[in-house]
Amino acid sequence: MLDDFMVRAALAGIGVMVAAAPLGCFVVWRRMAFFGAATAHAAVLGVAISLALSISVFVGVLAVCLAMAITVTLLAGRGYAMDTLLGVLAHAALAVGLVAVSFLTHIRIDLMAYLFGDILAVGHADIGVIWGGSLLVLGIMIWRWQAILLATVSEDLAYAEGYRPFRDELLLTISLAIVIAVAIKVVGVLLIAAMLIIPAATARAFSSTPERMAVGAGLIGTIAVLAGLTGSWYLDTPAGATVVTAATILFALVNIAARLKQH
Amino acid sequence: MSGPLIEAKDVSVKIGDRRILDHIELAINAKEIVTVVGPNGSGKSTLLRTLIGAIKPDKGQIKRQHGLTIGYVPQKLHIDPTLPMTVRRFLNLPRAHDQSTIDLALQRAGIPGRANDAMTALSGGQFQRALMARALLDTPDLLMLDEAAQGLDQTGVADFYKQIEDIRNQLGCGVLMVSHDLHVVMRAADRVICLNQHICCQGHPEAVTTDPAYHALFGTDTDEVLALFRHDPHQHPHQETESTKETTNETPT
């Protein structure tokens, strides 16, 4: 019943969730939702640069996202209000990206594919890149989990116990850039933040520890990917958007169930 | 274990253009309870945060004894409601401890049997005790408390400081406290430091209280002591007795 391209799509989606789940939890806990969305917007500039220089889109997007993430982290440390800073940089990068793309008259580019992703067009090489990036981020998350979690609870506690919270936060930001770069093909610029936040927010309703929430987010995300792909197959709807819609339905159901259980 | 646990050498801190700490010389020894008192905005919290390394001094340096373990209890700690965190998980952050160690720490801190409660479900006083339990887990060489008695009622505060003394006696650790809760703090401390950007004065509380200069400074009852700390931050009452007398007549807030 499922074609080969559907299997590849499922592998790509689950690959993104492997990293997006633990990372999404930190995005939710640290109230970085806007940060994720803003970095993703900057990815459009990365696409334009990659096409102009004829380099891999993954590399271009990764470079721009990293530059954006590091700039924001450094500037935020100097007393600029985070949301204003993100608002300026993200939309500037998006606008400059769109302008830059319009100059590339000799290249036909399907901007929609980058804004909304094209999970059904994922090839074998893409799956390699996605899983490579995701496993790298998962590795970083596992390696620095306790330190980043402590810094999330309190930077001062982290300092007092000999950690360097600033370094761990930078690592978190870099991981976010990597996930955005690998996920752009799957769900696109506009929906990446959704895959970070919705599964994590859903898992919150039934988790009593941070670790359970991270694993729960992975499970919810995987179910959303499989349900969304199946739904798009039968309903002939855009795959990436259907995956996010499936995640949203799960979010609603789990939260209603949790409320009912309380009463 | 010779020499001070932690030492501030000629430390000055600026935040933005504002000078918060000015030429601080300070050393905390093992088994010593030191209390820092001072009015709001005198740099008490900044001093602690500089000592733990969260703020870099722009002049001077902080020297820590090699391998020093610090148990830090911050003034405020906000755990985002989206972050599920039981008391047990909080105590096991960043390192896991066995069940009996956790139970003992909770008992010592006065919240036995709360390990499975969510941190966000605790009352202000219980939350503060959970912070304390965590700070005590790894038997710190130095315990640092920033307004740790916040959220406790009057008897709770007295018990709390009694407990600090017990902990010092049991663990043999140094204690550095910051507080505006003068009368209780004075009773528990071996040494009191009066901070107002710079160190105005310091000494053993009993020795200090028999000193006539102290009476000029702090008055004789605690209301006056508290009133003192509403003084103009640019005046230093140990030098300007006249202005001190004026301020001691004010009622404390």
Side-chain angles (χ1 to χ4, degrees), chain A residues 203-218:
Chain A
R204 172 64 185 98
F206 57 82
S207 306
S208 57
T209 65
E211 290 74 21
R212 282 183 201 162
M213 182 161 151
V215 173

Side-chain angles (χ1 to χ4, degrees), chain A residues 11 15 17 32 44-45 104 115 136-137 149 165 181 199 201 224 245 247 251:
Chain A
L11 280 176
M17 276 320 299
M32 290 165 70
V44 171
L45 180 60
L104 303 171
L115 289 179
L136 175 66
V137 168
L149 191 57
T245 307
F251 174 79

Side-chain angles (χ1 to χ4, degrees), chain B residues 143-157:
Chain B
L143 188 61
M144 286 184 157
L145 310 164
D146 193 350
E147 301 282 7
Q150 263 183 357
L152 300 179
D153 53 26
Q154 274 301 321
T155 46
V157 171

Side-chain angles (χ1 to χ4, degrees), chain A residues 28-31 145-147 149-150 152-157 159-163 204 207-211 213, chain B residues 49 52-54 64 70 72 74 77-86 89-90 92-95 131 134:
Chain A
V28 168
W29 297 332
R30 305 175 66 96
R31 311 209 159 212
W145 181 261
Q146 301 284 351
L149 191 57
L150 180 60
T152 300
V153 168
S154 163
E155 285 188 10
D156 283 355
L157 284 182
Y159 276 117
E161 286 155 39
Y163 289 88
R204 172 64 185 98
S207 306
S208 57
T209 65
E211 290 74 21
M213 182 161 151
Chain B
R49 296 187 66 226
I52 62 169
R64 289 189 194 189
I70 295 177
Y72 175 62
L77 195 130
H78 172 74
I79 294 185
D80 197 277
T82 59
L83 174 54
M85 183 70 79
T86 58
R89 184 64 189 88
F90 180 65
N92 280 330
L93 181 72
R95 266 175 306 282
L131 291 180
R134 185 177 173 281

